[in-house]
Amino acid sequence: QVQIVESGGGLVQFGGSLRLSCVASGRDFSAWTMGWYRQRTGQRRELVAVENGSGDRRYANFVKGRFTISRDRAENTVVLQMNSLKPEDTALYFCNINLHLLNEWGQGTQVTVSS
């Protein structure tokens, strides 16, 4: 059974940093795409950053230059380093892992950026 555990959310001031971590267990996820999505209040869930099984990374335009995604394949872990945070980054952040038709979500971790 796949399990996803997220950590690292919290409250930070404008311009601050947070580091989100996600650990997946239950199988070998090295070939899977792992990454982060977010959902702001009243908005649809949107991609933040993902890394596929080949190591290719994709970032949303609104985080380029501020956020960095990294993976530890041996540990089935994906980390999102978030710098220069803005109030508009306030959202529930979800870890996602997927491969073809298989798609799994974490429960989410709240990030709140105060102005």
Side-chain angles (χ1 to χ4, degrees):
Q1 183 176 353
V2 174
Q3 286 192 318
I4 297 174
V5 178
E6 301 144 324
S7 61
L11 173 64
V12 66
Q13 289 188 332
F14 177 85
S17 299
L18 282 174
R19 183 180 174 90
L20 304 183
S21 294
C22 169
V23 180
S25 60
R27 61 190 301 167
D28 178 8
F29 296 104
S30 57
W32 293 49
T33 295
M34 295 184 73
W36 293 90
Y37 289 70
R38 73 183 187 187
Q39 189 164 15
R40 296 182 288 176
T41 303
Q43 307 269 338
R44 289 187 173 186
R45 194 171 297 187
E46 58 187 353
L47 181 145
V48 177
V50 296
E51 181 174 318
N52 67 15
S54 299
D56 299 319
R57 296 171 179 171
R58 182 157 61 106
Y59 293 93
N61 287 336
F62 55 77
V63 304
K64 284 183 179 177
R66 300 189 297 128
F67 294 8
T68 303
I69 190 169
S70 59
R71 280 178 71 167
D72 183 333
R73 294 175 190 282
E75 299 293 329
N76 286 329
T77 299
V78 62
V79 170
L80 184 69
Q81 178 65 43
M82 306 187 294
N83 298 326
S84 302
L85 283 161
K86 307 174 183 179
E88 53 263 44
D89 293 318
T90 294
L92 191 59
Y93 284 71
F94 296 90
C95 180
N96 174 266
I97 56 175
N98 70 84
L99 180 67
H100 304 311
L101 298 180
L102 302 173
N103 194 31
E104 303 285 346
W105 294 93
Q107 292 194 332
T109 183
Q110 179 67 37
V111 171
T112 302
V113 185
S114 63
S115 57

